[in-house]
Amino acid sequence: MTTPFAADEGHVPVMLAEVLHDLSPRDGATYLDGTFGGGGYARAILSAADCTLWAIDRDPAAIARGDALAPAFPGGDGHSRLRMIKGGFGDMAALLAARDIHALDGVVLDLGVSSYQIDQAERGFSFRMDGPLDMRMGDEGPTAADIVNRYQESELADIIYAYGEERMSRRVARAIVAARAEAPITTTLRLAEIVRSVVRADRSGIDPATRTFQGLRIYVNDELGQIERGLDQALALLAPGGRLVTVSFHSLEDRLVKLAMNRASGRVPAPSRHDPGAMMQRADRPSFRLVRNKAIRPSDAECRHNPRARSARLRTVERVAPFPTTEEMEQQQ
């Protein structure tokens, strides 16, 4: 097979070598890239083994990139080994079932916004370039402009605090409401300026608008809901020996991944003896095992080469038990 390589120029997949190591692609296997983005992981997986890769993305531009890439990986059946699906990875079970795929040998989820989306001003993700205040990863649903111009001050504050972890969320929300009374907020730079007017820069060097933009982006795209659903479905789809490899970029994402993997591997906190649930019988052998106890981080060299990798965390879990029988599933309900 050819040597794994990155995707299009300008797109640098984070911890590519580590992802490939944990996934260990093999000939004849079937994998899923739940967040195709720029195609960096997809290229590497398909280059590492004569396998089939299904790839999901809700961004029409990402689907177009995948369709353009597909001919580079022909299969023996006359079709490409890269199969693109438009949709959200939180719906992977239904999307794959519609194509008669019910088990996978591995899943990769690169969580968060893609480099392509950040770098294109017209997508409205960046507070450094002026563009329409959109922030949608797909082409459906309300935009960030709809949110900031229509939601009540308390609702905005809650979104910015819960999803952006911005301590000054109420101050930011108050400033947004005051500014939109003068004129609708429709561009990224205007929103960034409003936030910077009430949130001071700190020693971290992070732009004061970062957390507000993160909060709105996560809310607009239901990112945490997608992650919760996607993790549950990915685990259910894994065949014995199959692995789920995730790369997350902030604490909200990583917390959900860690919880789901710990729960699947039987590493849950011991229940209180006063909790009636403690009387429930626990499985003797969990269906999954953690490949390592802690998340791994990118090397210093990678962070210097690609500053966007600095906050990345990689976690991996492997199915070690067969799929549960119908009787076992009924007993768990």
Side-chain angles (χ1 to χ4, degrees):
M1 302 305 297
T2 57
T3 302
F5 52 93
D8 296 339
E9 183 179 356
H11 175 76
V12 184
V14 173
M15 289 194 283
L16 178 58
E18 293 87 343
V19 167
L20 280 181
H21 175 272
D22 278 12
L23 193 66
S24 299
R26 68 178 189 276
D27 294 351
T30 301
Y31 299 96
L32 172 70
D33 180 351
T35 49
F36 180 80
Y41 296 122
R43 283 180 179 263
I45 293 166
L46 290 164
S47 298
D50 185 14
C51 59
T52 298
L53 178 73
W54 293 87
I56 296 174
D57 207 295
R58 49 181 164 177
D59 186 346
I63 297 298
R65 285 191 293 271
D67 289 341
L69 175 63
F73 298 98
D77 59 358
H79 297 88
S80 173
R81 294 188 288 117
L82 173 60
R83 317 284 175 85
M84 299 299 301
I85 305 175
K86 184 176 183 295
F89 68 86
D91 300 314
M92 69 174 72
L95 293 170
L96 291 169
R99 292 155 177 85
D100 202 28
I101 301 297
H102 304 282
L104 297 165
D105 297 297
V107 178
V108 174
L109 296 177
D110 178 14
L111 306 174
V113 65
S114 80
S115 299
Y116 279 99
Q117 292 166 336
I118 293 175
D119 293 338
Q120 294 175 343
E122 65 270 20
R123 300 303 300 271
F125 289 97
S126 176
F127 45 75
R128 301 187 188 282
M129 300 179 290
D130 202 17
L133 191 57
D134 193 316
M135 295 195 193
R136 293 174 300 172
M137 292 180 178
D139 53 2
E140 299 176 349
T143 66
D146 294 329
I147 306 303
V148 300
N149 287 296
R150 297 176 184 175
Y151 277 34
Q152 295 181 5
E153 180 178 321
S154 60
E155 294 174 307
L156 289 172
D158 289 345
I159 290 169
I160 295 167
Y161 180 79
Y163 301 125
E165 301 178 292
E166 172 58 73
R167 292 178 300 161
M168 303 295 180
S169 62
R170 299 200 179 283
R171 185 180 298 177
V172 172
R174 193 177 308 120
I176 288 173
V177 171
R180 76 188 189 192
E182 299 177 5
I185 303 168
T186 59
T187 66
T188 53
L189 284 190
R190 182 162 183 240
L191 177 60
E193 290 168 358
I194 293 167
V195 177
R196 292 174 187 140
S197 70
V198 294
V199 178
R200 296 180 179 179
D202 56 29
R203 297 178 182 177
S204 69
I206 296 174
D207 190 290
T210 301
R211 289 180 288 271
T212 294
F213 271 64
Q214 172 186 298
L216 289 170
R217 188 202 81 217
I218 290 174
Y219 181 81
V220 165
N221 296 288
D222 185 29
E223 290 181 39
L224 300 187
Q226 284 278 323
I227 291 172
E228 289 181 315
R229 296 189 298 273
L231 291 171
D232 287 344
Q233 293 173 37
L235 292 169
L237 285 163
L238 284 181
R243 289 182 170 184
L244 167 61
V245 184
T246 66
V247 179
S248 57
F249 290 88
H250 59 72
S251 60
L252 296 177
E253 296 172 346
D254 187 55
R255 193 175 304 139
L256 292 176
V257 173
K258 182 179 180 180
L259 178 61
M261 290 188 175
N262 282 345
R263 187 167 53 232
S265 61
R267 296 194 173 198
V268 293
S272 166
R273 60 189 178 90
H274 301 294
D275 181 2
M279 301 299 293
M280 296 177 61
Q281 183 177 0
R282 300 176 68 184
D284 293 331
R285 181 189 177 195
S287 299
F288 297 85
R289 74 172 184 92
L290 298 178
V291 171
R292 62 185 65 81
N293 291 331
K294 295 182 178 180
I296 60 174
R297 302 178 64 175
S299 65
D300 291 340
E302 179 172 2
C303 292
R304 287 194 298 271
H305 176 68
N306 180 18
R308 289 176 178 169
R310 287 177 298 187
S311 62
R313 302 288 185 275
L314 184 148
R315 296 183 187 271
T316 304
V317 69
E318 177 184 336
R319 179 182 282 278
V320 294
F323 288 119
T325 64
T326 303
E327 181 181 350
E328 289 172 335
M329 292 178 66
E330 290 176 349
Q331 290 177 351
Q332 293 174 5
Q333 294 177 350

